[in-house]
């Protein structure tokens, strides 16, 4: 890659994962949404886990991409149901409430770029971008639980980054990274979610002249020969990711990511990373990849057992992979391209030994068996202390004939 964000080794190839964690792509019957998802979540808790309850549940959906316009199609001809997206969102919220989720993750593109092209609303005088954002947020608010939002390219076509950070409540989770849009969230002891900003280095979201805008422009010039930088024509494989609607993580965000993972590993936490753009090349077309996906994967793979999964949207189709470090990579189907009468979201249950995604209708289900939880630095030191004391006592006894023999206390079972 010419003009790379920073140098990084190639990602590990030839990955495999235990077959017990293989995904189950399935289509569920279509009873009312709340009943379907709540029943799936409750049944999942009972099946294979006895009476064990999950540590927490969360709702998962991607690419609502609402606009108050007639149905259309993607550049590839896939139908898009712009107005119906709000009904889809309502079905998901109803199901999440019935399942008693602790929070929800929306993987980006909350409204569609077409809003920025439509005339102002005659009834309210509002721009279509503003009206659409108000409407979608009103529907999310019905959940009455935190929603973790990610910025997508369509979001940034409608509103400035700093406004989105505030309106999507990204700023409320941040510590010292404003005006960027990445943050961490800890839903329960032993778990950390890292919500990444895939458009930190991008033409979108930063004005011309901003260093990250100019870095993105230079990357596109170096890696995409097309006059229209939204086109990947002539590029083959992963290099097709260098398109104008893509982006990558800045050096500052990569350093933050590394620091978060160091903290999580020291604390014995498990980590799920999420981004609108895609982490792994086996999960989606190359135009959907993060520009510096190799570097991001290399950092994540330094922490096997700590990093257990990534979640992404943008590609509009479910995608699945598992890398050499055992990290599960999931790309989620788009709400926008789900036809009337169908549904597209999941209820995720997190246990100490598994993660289960109960997909509803067109949203694929998965079950991931987790490795043993990592041991925190403090717990490792505490476990080592009795052994060190016993060794010291034995050495002292050996040097003093007739001295009592030291007996190590039995370590507690954990």
């Amino acid at each position: 890659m010419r003009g790379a964000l920073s140098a990084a080794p190639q990602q590990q190839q030839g990955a495999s994962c235990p077959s017990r964690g293989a995904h189950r792509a399935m289509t569920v019957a279509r009873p009312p949404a709340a009943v379907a998802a709540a029943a799936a979540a409750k049944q999942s808790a009972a099946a294979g886990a006895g009476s064990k309850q999950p540590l927490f549940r969360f709702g998962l959906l991607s690419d609502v991409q609402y606009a108050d316009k007639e149905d259309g199609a993607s550049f590839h001809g896939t139908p898009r149901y712009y107005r119906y997206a709000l009904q889809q969102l309502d079905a998901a919220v109803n199901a999440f409430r019935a399942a008693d989720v602790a929070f929800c993750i929306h993987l980006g593109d909350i409204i569609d770029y077409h809003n920025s092209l439509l005339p102002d609303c005659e009834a309210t005088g509002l721009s279509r971008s503003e009206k659409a954002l108000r409407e979608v947020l009103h529907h999310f608010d019905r959940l009455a639980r935190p929603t973790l939002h990610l910025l997508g390219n369509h979001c940034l076509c409608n509103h400035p980054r700093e406004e989105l950070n505030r309106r999507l409540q990204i700023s409320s989770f941040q510590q010292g990274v404003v005006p960027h849009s990445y943050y961490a969230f800890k839903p329960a002891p032993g778990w950390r979610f890292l919500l990444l900003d895939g458009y930190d280095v991008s033409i979108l979201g930063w004005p011309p002249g901003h260093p990250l805008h100019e870095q993105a422009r230079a990357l596109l010039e170096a890696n995409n020969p097309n006059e229209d930088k939204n086109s990947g024509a002539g590029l083959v494989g992963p290099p097709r990711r260098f398109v104008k609607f893509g982006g990558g993580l800045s050096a500052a965000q990569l350093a933050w990511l590394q620091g978060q993972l160091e903290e999580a590993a020291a604390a014995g936490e498990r980590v799920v990373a999420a981004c609108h753009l895609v982490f792994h090349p086996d999960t989606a077309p190359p135009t959907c990849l993060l520009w510096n996906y190799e570097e991001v994967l290399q950092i994540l793979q330094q922490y096997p057992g700590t990093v257990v999964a990534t979640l992404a949207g943008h590609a509009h189709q479910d995608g699945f992979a598992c890398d050499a470090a055992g990290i599960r990579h999931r790309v989620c189907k788009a709400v926008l391209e789900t036809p009337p009468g169908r549904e597209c979201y999941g209820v995720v249950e997190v246990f100490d030994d598994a993660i289960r995604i109960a997909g509803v209708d067109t949203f694929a289900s998965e079950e991931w068996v987790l490795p043993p939880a990592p041991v925190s630095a403090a717990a490792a030191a505490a476990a080592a202390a009795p052994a060190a004391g016993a060794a010291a006592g034995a050495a002292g006894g050996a040097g003093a004939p007739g001295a009592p023999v030291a007996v190590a206390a039995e370590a507690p079972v954990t």
Side-chain angles (χ1 to χ4, degrees), residues 152-154 156-157 161 199 201-206 213 244-246:
N153 50 307
H154 286 266
L156 292 166
C157 288
R161 176 185 297 274
Y199 291 90
V201 177
S202 177
I203 294 292
L204 304 173
W206 303 111
H213 178 104
K244 188 177 178 180
F245 54 87

Side-chain angles (χ1 to χ4, degrees), residues 56 75-76 87 122 131 135 146 185 190 268 288 314 327 375:
F56 57 92
F75 293 113
H76 306 291
Q87 293 176 251
E122 292 184 3
K131 184 173 182 290
E135 288 179 309
F185 177 74
C288 299
H314 193 55
I327 301 171
V375 178

Side-chain angles (χ1 to χ4, degrees), residues 4 9 32 55 67-68 113 142 147 152 157 199 210 215 232 270 274 297 301 311 314 323 334-335 354 358 371:
L55 302 172
D68 185 8
Y113 90 98
R142 293 180 49 250
T147 296
C157 288
Y199 291 90
H210 189 285
Q215 184 182 2
R270 286 166 164 150
L297 283 177
Q301 291 166 350
L311 301 170
H314 193 55
D323 66 27
V335 167

Side-chain angles (χ1 to χ4, degrees), residues 88-104:
Q88 287 270 15
L89 176 57
D90 275 340
V93 168
N94 290 341
F96 297 160
R97 287 170 60 93
D100 194 26
V101 301
F103 61 97
C104 163

Side-chain angles (χ1 to χ4, degrees), residues 170-185:
I170 291 172
S171 300
S172 66
F173 295 104
Q174 290 180 310
Q175 296 180 348
V177 298
V178 178
H180 304 273
S181 306
Y182 48 92
Y183 59 104
F185 177 74

